[in-house]
Amino acid sequence: MKEAFKEAMSRFAAGVTVVSARYGEEERGMTATAFMSLSLEPPLVALGIGEGARILPLLERSGAFTVSLLREGQEAVSQHFAGRPQEGVSLVEGAVPGALAVLRCRLMALHPGGDHRLVVGRVEAVELGEPGPPLVYFARGYRRLVWPS
């Protein structure tokens, strides 16, 4: 069942985000594709974070997090925050430079979800980058959308 479930989920295209949290001098980021818009009124987002993720306790203590929506060409950023360090990749004020958009969120709720937690955040600020194609993950790899000229 587990392998079939993983295979089925690999067939669902997802945008790629980097979620970051800061508490005191400590800051962490992680790549996440389990992300969605939850509500417009109030503006809420939700994402799944593994119970063992090092960012989770930091996010809980800080009560806030940032979500950067990655653009096509930011594969190295995604790899870096997925645990495969890449030279020259870093966060600037908790965000990924050049992202399509950045959402600054206040933690609203944490819900158990098997080996993950469902994190709900209220969007308090939105920063829009230049429009363009998103970084997409599908069938265990990065893909490109056909973008109108």
Side-chain angles (χ1 to χ4, degrees), residues 69-148:
L69 309 180
L70 299 188
R71 71 174 55 251
E72 187 177 274
Q74 291 187 311
E75 291 88 342
V77 174
S78 174
Q79 292 291 324
H80 180 82
F81 290 105
R84 292 179 285 288
Q86 307 287 311
E87 196 164 315
V89 174
S90 63
L91 297 169
V92 175
E93 296 180 10
V96 172
L100 288 171
V102 174
L103 308 173
R104 308 277 182 182
C105 305
R106 176 76 34 217
L107 179 62
M108 295 295 293
L110 290 166
H111 301 284
D115 59 1
H116 278 60
R117 293 245 199 111
L118 180 64
V119 178
V120 178
R122 182 181 182 125
V123 178
E124 295 187 327
V126 175
E127 300 160 21
L128 296 175
E130 291 297 315
L135 183 59
V136 176
Y137 197 76
F138 175 76
R140 298 185 176 92
Y142 299 108
R143 307 293 178 216
R144 296 186 186 275
L145 293 178
V146 176
W147 199 252

